[in-house]
Amino acid sequence: MTVSLNELDRAWALLGQQRFAESERQAEAVLARFPDNVSALACHAMAHWKNGGDMASSLVEMRRAVSLAPDVASIRHNLATLL
């Protein structure tokens, strides 16, 4: 089973539209099925933070994404943004 790009695209689009709670929920839905999906982890971490969530949990999630995809510059950039 693979994640639908539409689901992730929607989560990222909602984040870009500053609809943080909706983005967080969409990313959570993807993570429920694909807990190691790097893009969903990053999106959820950023949406959670922007939605007023706990910074520590966002950092844990983003560091996990970096550990799963250490060569992806955009994920490292998102970690740097959180830091």
Side-chain angles (χ1 to χ4, degrees), residues 3-13 15 23-32 34-48 58 61-70 72-76 78-79 82:
V3 65
S4 163
L5 288 181
N6 288 336
E7 291 175 280
L8 278 173
D9 288 344
R10 178 169 161 65
W12 282 108
L15 184 65
S23 175
E24 186 176 2
R25 283 192 302 272
Q26 182 69 40
E28 280 176 5
V30 174
L31 288 171
F34 306 97
D36 292 333
N37 184 286
V38 173
S39 184
L41 283 166
C43 185
H44 185 265
M46 296 303 287
H48 181 71
S58 290
E61 206 163 40
M62 193 60 75
R63 285 184 171 123
R64 184 162 167 250
V66 168
S67 74
L68 291 169
V72 178
S74 61
I75 302 301
R76 288 187 171 275
N78 286 336
L79 176 59
L82 288 175

